[in-house]
Amino acid sequence: MEYKKLKTIGTWTTRTEVMEFLNYKPTQMHQFMKDFKDVLIVSRIGRRCFIQVKSIERVLDMHQESAAR
């Protein structure tokens, strides 16, 4: 299994890094951000988009499947 570490700035990472981590294309990432707009903490500076890492972890935790299945 290949492990990937996100490049971060403090507790923030770029939208592009998250796209690469999830292996999403721009349209998929747009829908992901739209679906989880209440959970994701996003900061926009000009055209740049930064997402707080803890909020991404929260989304993943929300969809965690139990190992018993």
Side-chain angles (χ1 to χ4, degrees), residues 4-8 13-14 17-21 53 56:
K4 175 146 174 56
K5 182 172 174 145
L6 289 175
K7 295 178 190 171
T8 61
T13 190
T14 64
E17 280 292 314
V18 177
M19 283 175 56
E20 289 177 19
F21 178 76
V53 175
I56 296 167

Side-chain angles (χ1 to χ4, degrees), residues 35-42 54-56 58-59 62:
D35 291 344
F36 298 107
K37 66 182 176 197
D38 296 333
V39 179
L40 292 175
I41 300 170
V42 178
K54 288 190 184 238
S55 68
I56 296 167
R58 202 170 313 125
V59 170
M62 287 170 41

Side-chain angles (χ1 to χ4, degrees), residues 33-64:
M33 292 180 70
K34 190 175 171 184
D35 291 344
F36 298 107
K37 66 182 176 197
D38 296 333
V39 179
L40 292 175
I41 300 170
V42 178
S43 178
R44 297 182 194 278
I45 301 173
R47 293 189 62 175
R48 304 261 182 196
C49 180
F50 299 91
I51 304 170
Q52 197 169 56
V53 175
K54 288 190 184 238
S55 68
I56 296 167
E57 290 173 352
R58 202 170 313 125
V59 170
L60 293 174
D61 287 341
M62 287 170 41
H63 291 83
Q64 182 176 346

